[in-house]
């Protein structure tokens, strides 16, 4: 089968079987072309809650599919590839989070959305890279715990110096592979290019950037900018998507190391098998996990606007 034939079959089946396909921005372009909605983690959660279809197929990583299930417990939620997980989400579990709260009595726990459903049951609010500054600014508390990404946390702290964030030593193994040396090397090759990076990058990389934002924030900035060349410091797929959308501009990947192997697990054939009903991993969570984790996700949507 050709890519086009596979895509046509998926489009036909998703209508027939009432499936909504959600794809994270880091998915490959062939998957983007069959998706009903593409977005960053925040956009996907909001969309998951709104989707009218009976089944949601998440092309992304496990915490994203869990978030969909928490927001739409009555729907069938499938993760296109069962092995696609976010290693950062495994860096802190519920027990460790409770210990952290015990060590800092009275402080709210703010969790990055890249965490497990079980951890979210003991959080006060969830944030994403595109909503974190807005949400934390609007919280009444001036001091809080933030888990697990200390690079994102440090970047938020710089934007909101009036608040105090207690961080742990976690982070994204993909984004942490990019260094200031990589920025300098690629900038020497393309001196006029603007540097756009994700806040999961190391501070030494963020400090050299012209723009810092979520995956969709980076894409919006590049599309709206008058500049013609951009160095992209996030997952490699974003370079490909931007190149398709803006053929008159040039995009360069900040480092060849910037590939998220978990995001890249999902293939178009996985998507076909999931819509056919022969593949995909159905997400099932205990009722009390859904009930307790939902509170901090609802709060994110309420404060995130
Ligand atoms: P976004 O919220 O920017 O989509 O980020 C998700 C993610 O996993 C980044 O590594
Ligand atoms: Fe997780 Fe990093 Fe991959 Fe995003 S890029 S899914 S944070 S490992």
């Amino acid at each position: 089968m050709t890519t086009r034939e596979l895509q046509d079959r998926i489009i036909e089946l998703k209508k027939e079987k009432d499936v909504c396909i959600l794809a994270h921005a880091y998915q490959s372009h062939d998957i983007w072309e069959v998706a009903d909605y593409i977005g960053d983690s925040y956009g996907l959660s909001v969309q998951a809650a709104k989707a009218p279809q009976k089944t949601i197929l998440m092309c992304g990583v496990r915490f994203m599919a869990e978030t969909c299930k928490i927001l739409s417990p009555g729907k069938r939620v499938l993760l296109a590839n069962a092995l696609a997980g976010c290693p950062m989400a495994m860096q802190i579990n519920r027990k460790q989070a409770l210990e952290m709260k015990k060590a800092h009595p009275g402080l709210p726990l703010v969790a990055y959305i890249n965490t497990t459903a079980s951890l979210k049951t003991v959080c006060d609010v969830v944030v994403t890279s595109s909503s974190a500054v807005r949400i934390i600014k609007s919280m009444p508390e001036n001091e809080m715990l933030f888990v697990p990404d200390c690079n994102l946390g440090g970047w938020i702290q710089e934007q909101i110096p009036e608040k105090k964030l207690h961080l742990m030593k976690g982070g994204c193994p993909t984004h942490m592979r990019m260094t200031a040396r990589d920025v300098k090397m690629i900038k020497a090759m393309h001196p006029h290019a603007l540097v756009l990076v994700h806040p999961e990058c190391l501070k030494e990389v963020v400090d050299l950037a012209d723009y810092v934002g979520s995956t969709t924030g980076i894409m919006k900035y590049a599309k709206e900018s008058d500049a013609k060349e951009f160095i992209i410091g996030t997952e490699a797929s974003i370079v490909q998507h931007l190149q398709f959308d803006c053929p008159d501009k040039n995009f360069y990947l900040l480092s060849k190391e910037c590939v998220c192997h978990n995001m890249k697990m999902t293939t178009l054939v996985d998507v076909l098998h999931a819509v056919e009903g022969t593949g995909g991993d159905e997400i099932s969570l205990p009722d009390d996990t859904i009930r307790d984790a939902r509170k901090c996700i609802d709060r994110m949507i309420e404060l995130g606007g």
Side-chain angles (χ1 to χ4, degrees):
M1 255 179 164
T2 63
T3 303
R4 190 65 252 169
E5 285 165 345
L6 274 172
Q7 289 176 322
D8 287 345
R9 184 75 188 125
I10 291 168
I11 293 166
E12 197 179 292
L13 280 171
K14 74 171 181 176
K15 282 190 198 133
E16 195 184 303
K17 302 205 171 189
D18 201 27
V19 180
C20 171
I21 303 184
L22 301 181
H24 186 265
Y26 293 161
Q27 295 293 295
S28 53
H29 213 77
D30 52 356
I31 294 178
W32 270 41
E33 288 176 344
V34 297
D36 295 281
Y37 182 84
I38 302 152
D40 61 15
S41 308
Y42 186 77
L44 291 176
S45 342
V46 174
Q47 201 57 35
K50 284 193 207 153
Q53 290 89 344
K54 286 196 202 82
T55 301
I56 296 175
L57 173 59
M58 173 57 71
C59 304
V61 289
R62 183 165 296 275
F63 78 81
M64 296 176 176
E66 286 187 348
T67 307
C68 288
K69 186 68 189 175
I70 294 165
L71 288 167
S72 305
K75 289 186 185 171
R76 204 165 151 251
V77 176
L78 299 171
L79 176 63
N81 186 307
L83 296 177
C86 169
M88 179 160 41
M90 308 317 288
Q91 289 169 352
I92 178 165
N93 61 27
R94 187 175 181 276
K95 187 166 170 270
Q96 290 162 320
L98 286 172
E99 278 161 13
M100 210 171 155
K101 283 182 97 165
K102 205 168 158 198
H104 299 85
L107 294 194
L109 177 63
V110 180
Y112 193 21
I113 197 163
N114 298 41
T115 43
T116 61
S118 153
L119 180 123
K120 289 184 179 87
T121 62
V122 294
C123 289
D124 295 280
V125 64
V126 163
V127 299
T128 65
S129 56
S130 56
S131 62
V133 171
R134 199 163 57 242
I135 291 175
I136 295 178
K137 251 189 191 163
S138 70
M139 288 172 69
E141 298 90 349
N142 288 325
E143 208 177 329
M144 58 208 68
L145 307 170
F146 181 84
V147 297
D149 189 337
C150 66
N151 297 307
L152 174 67
W155 176 75
I156 299 168
Q157 178 72 80
E158 282 193 2
Q159 318 299 304
I160 326 176
E162 66 277 18
K163 304 246 176 182
K164 166 90 188 123
L165 270 65
H166 294 260
L167 308 175
M168 62 169 268
K169 274 202 174 129
C172 164
T174 303
H175 285 83
M176 286 199 301
R177 285 200 288 268
M178 289 179 276
T179 63
R181 191 165 169 265
D182 295 326
V183 181
K184 287 175 192 154
M185 267 167 60
I186 189 127
K187 195 73 189 161
M189 290 165 74
H190 307 287
H192 303 298
L194 295 182
V195 179
L196 319 183
V197 308
H198 197 281
E200 288 175 14
C201 291
L202 297 175
K203 177 171 163 45
E204 64 181 45
V205 170
V206 166
D207 284 348
L208 296 172
D210 296 291
Y211 172 82
V212 185
S214 73
T215 48
T216 48
I218 290 175
M219 287 191 285
K220 187 168 182 286
Y221 185 95
K223 284 180 196 172
E224 291 174 359
S225 167
D226 292 332
K228 292 283 177 215
E229 291 184 287
F230 303 88
I231 292 164
I232 304 297
T234 190
E235 214 280 330
S237 279
I238 300 297
V239 169
Q240 195 198 18
H241 303 314
L242 281 169
Q243 204 64 86
F244 276 115
D245 284 349
C246 314
D248 58 328
K249 297 182 178 182
N250 283 319
F251 300 93
Y252 314 110
L253 188 58
L254 198 155
S255 150
K256 65 178 184 324
E257 301 297 331
C258 203
V259 174
C260 174
H261 299 291
N262 280 278
M263 281 285 182
K264 290 284 143 352
M265 295 283 313
T266 306
T267 65
L268 198 57
V269 172
D270 289 333
V271 181
L272 175 67
H273 290 163
V275 285
E276 263 175 358
T278 55
D281 192 29
E282 181 164 359
I283 304 292
S284 129
L285 293 169
D287 289 346
D288 55 344
T289 300
I290 292 181
R291 186 195 59 221
D292 296 345
R294 177 149 192 160
K295 290 179 202 146
C296 60
I297 300 174
D298 280 344
R299 189 140 185 246
M300 168 186 80
I301 295 174
E302 180 199 321
L303 299 176

